[in-house]
Amino acid sequence: MKKFYIGAALLSLLGLADALYLTIEHVTGQTVRCTILSGCSEVLSSQYAVVGGIPLAAVGAAAYFTVFSLAILALFGYRFAGKILTPLVVAMFFVSVWLFYLQAFVIRQFCQYCLISAAITTCLLSLVIIRRFL
Amino acid sequence: MKRLLPFIIILVVLGVALSSAWYLTRSIPAAQNPPGNQPPASPGSQPSPAQSQQPVLTGVPGAEPAHTAGPATAPVKLEEFGDFECPPCGMFHPILKQMQEEFGDKLQVTFREFPLVPTHQHALAAASAAEAAGLQGKFWEMHHMIYDHQKDWAKEFDVRPIFEGYAKQLEVDVERYKRDVDSDAVARRIMQDGNRGHSLGVKGTPTVFLNGREVPFEDLPAEKLRVVIQNELRTAGK
């Protein structure tokens, strides 16, 4: 069980770094220029990149930080944290699926940092599922 | 102590995250806005001093003859590397037209193709359409038409009939246009412009050079670009 929480904490740290970077890109407008590698300018300048005036990437950063905090608390024996962790990760996964759909079929551009975040969330969900069946 | 340890770890991570974000935000040049979404002009909206400090670059030649507007004797020569599907390029387009109107014969504009493939699925088709029209002397007309209607075609599945429609509207010989769009001559021009862009270190669009010096992206809003051009005019007049 400890390995699960350590894995979740490490993955959420990666997610936090990715989401923080995206937030900074969004706030400073660095990705506004189009580049060969990235469709982030289209994704971050779309109407879906902001929720209630807050950049979605910042919401993601907060979510990853919450996962990290819960995993650390659970690692040190706080049982309530482990109970909250699972539904939070499941919710994050469904949000990621929705964002992937938006990139693929509505905006029709992929931002690699958003894809990295989706991959991290999928790994987190895999950990949750594996823990449930072990 | 063990009871406090998780909270200490959480606080340390929070502190590192916030201070990293603060440091990175400060180290990146002033908050940038899309060229078409610039804040209102104010005494504080001076261009960054970076442009005048940029080295003068020559690079390899692009397609010849280049698509230019304005006299070859103009003291200020602006070269844009653009992608017709890129939204910031679409926003920069009216700004450049405004600069051409304001500076008249003092400004010569050159457009270079820099389609971002595969980021933009129709960028190459749009560049080919403009170049094919260019073979019939209608490059700038097609260029304006494609940028002015960027939002109309960018999300379409098949853009070729749309561009053929534009060619027809511009009284381009459509049969010849259809042959030219897929011709080696058009492909070669796009590749040559791309090679020039790569030799100048162009990584994204729009990238603008003024008398061989790159204009920082944050200086592309109209009120800043105007000052950059005025400064260049003063330097050229010395």
Side-chain angles (χ1 to χ4, degrees):
Chain A
M1 195 61 81
K2 276 192 173 183
K3 279 181 187 170
F4 162 76
Y5 290 125
I6 291 170
L10 291 176
L11 277 172
S12 58
L13 272 184
L14 283 178
L16 176 62
D18 181 67
L20 261 184
Y21 178 75
L22 258 184
T23 307
I24 293 163
E25 290 273 300
H26 188 140
V27 170
T28 59
Q30 279 293 302
T31 51
V32 171
R33 193 194 296 239
C34 299
T35 66
I36 295 166
L37 294 173
S38 162
C40 292
S41 75
E42 282 83 353
V43 175
L44 291 188
S45 59
S46 76
Q47 58 177 307
Y48 308 102
V50 177
V51 178
I54 300 168
L56 198 56
V59 177
Y64 281 118
F65 178 71
T66 308
V67 170
F68 173 79
S69 304
L70 291 173
I72 291 295
L73 287 172
L75 186 64
F76 282 84
Y78 290 85
R79 285 190 162 193
F80 75 95
K83 285 178 184 169
I84 303 169
L85 192 60
T86 302
L88 177 62
V89 168
V90 171
M92 284 169 68
F93 175 75
F94 281 112
V95 171
S96 289
V97 170
W98 171 244
L99 295 176
F100 186 86
Y101 164 79
L102 288 176
Q103 287 179 81
F105 299 106
V106 180
I107 306 168
R108 291 189 191 168
Q109 291 291 335
F110 285 103
C111 170
Q112 70 267 37
Y113 300 106
C114 309
L115 295 178
I116 290 171
S117 177
I120 291 170
T121 307
T122 308
C123 290
L124 277 171
L125 183 77
S126 306
L127 271 184
V128 166
I129 292 168
I130 290 166
R131 185 188 65 154
R132 193 152 185 89
F133 288 101
L134 280 182
Chain B
M1 182 64 190
K2 203 185 171 188
R3 282 185 67 83
L4 282 177
L5 190 57
F7 297 100
I8 292 169
I9 294 170
I10 290 165
L11 283 175
V12 167
V13 167
L14 181 65
V16 169
L18 290 178
S19 53
S20 307
W22 177 79
Y23 174 76
L24 286 171
T25 310
R26 280 180 62 91
S27 63
I28 287 169
Q32 300 167 0
N33 293 288
N37 189 24
Q38 67 270 35
S42 68
S45 60
Q46 290 296 310
S48 61
Q51 202 270 333
S52 57
Q53 293 160 9
Q54 296 286 332
V56 176
L57 302 174
T58 48
V60 301
E64 291 294 340
H67 298 301
T68 58
T73 52
V76 178
K77 291 182 170 61
L78 185 151
E79 186 175 19
E80 179 197 357
F81 286 83
D83 169 323
F84 286 107
E85 199 179 337
C86 166
C89 295
M91 290 187 272
F92 181 62
H93 177 237
I95 294 172
L96 196 51
K97 279 208 280 192
Q98 189 187 334
M99 293 300 119
Q100 285 175 286
E101 282 170 21
E102 287 182 22
F103 289 95
D105 288 349
K106 292 173 186 163
L107 179 67
Q108 186 198 47
V109 171
T110 301
F111 183 83
R112 298 286 185 191
E113 305 288 0
F114 205 78
L116 297 167
V117 181
T119 301
H120 295 137
Q121 57 177 338
H122 301 315
L124 192 57
S128 302
E131 291 298 328
L135 292 180
Q136 296 184 49
K138 294 268 174 99
F139 172 79
W140 287 107
E141 290 84 345
M142 193 61 149
H143 169 275
H144 296 323
M145 187 73 102
I146 292 174
Y147 268 140
D148 289 343
H149 295 90
Q150 189 188 57
K151 285 182 180 158
D152 299 337
W153 56 263
K155 300 291 178 202
E156 294 297 324
F157 181 72
D158 185 7
V159 290
R160 289 173 78 98
I162 299 172
F163 295 149
E164 282 170 21
Y166 294 163
K168 204 171 179 181
Q169 278 184 57
L170 295 170
E171 297 178 349
V172 166
D173 176 347
V174 177
E175 288 312 309
R176 185 185 157 193
Y177 164 89
K178 283 184 187 173
R179 286 195 301 275
D180 288 342
V181 156
D182 298 317
S183 69
D184 288 344
V186 160
R188 202 178 307 120
R189 283 192 64 91
I190 296 169
M191 195 171 286
Q192 286 169 335
D193 276 357
N195 287 342
R196 174 165 173 72
H198 291 302
S199 74
L200 292 171
V202 174
K203 299 227 167 26
T205 58
T207 295
V208 172
F209 292 87
L210 214 61
N211 287 347
R213 277 194 276 266
E214 186 177 347
V215 181
F217 186 67
E218 65 265 29
D219 287 346
L220 294 186
E223 79 277 8
K224 289 187 176 180
L225 185 59
R226 184 181 295 114
V227 178
V228 172
I229 295 173
Q230 284 166 346
N231 289 343
E232 198 64 32
L233 270 174
R234 268 195 291 276
T235 310
K238 277 179 187 171

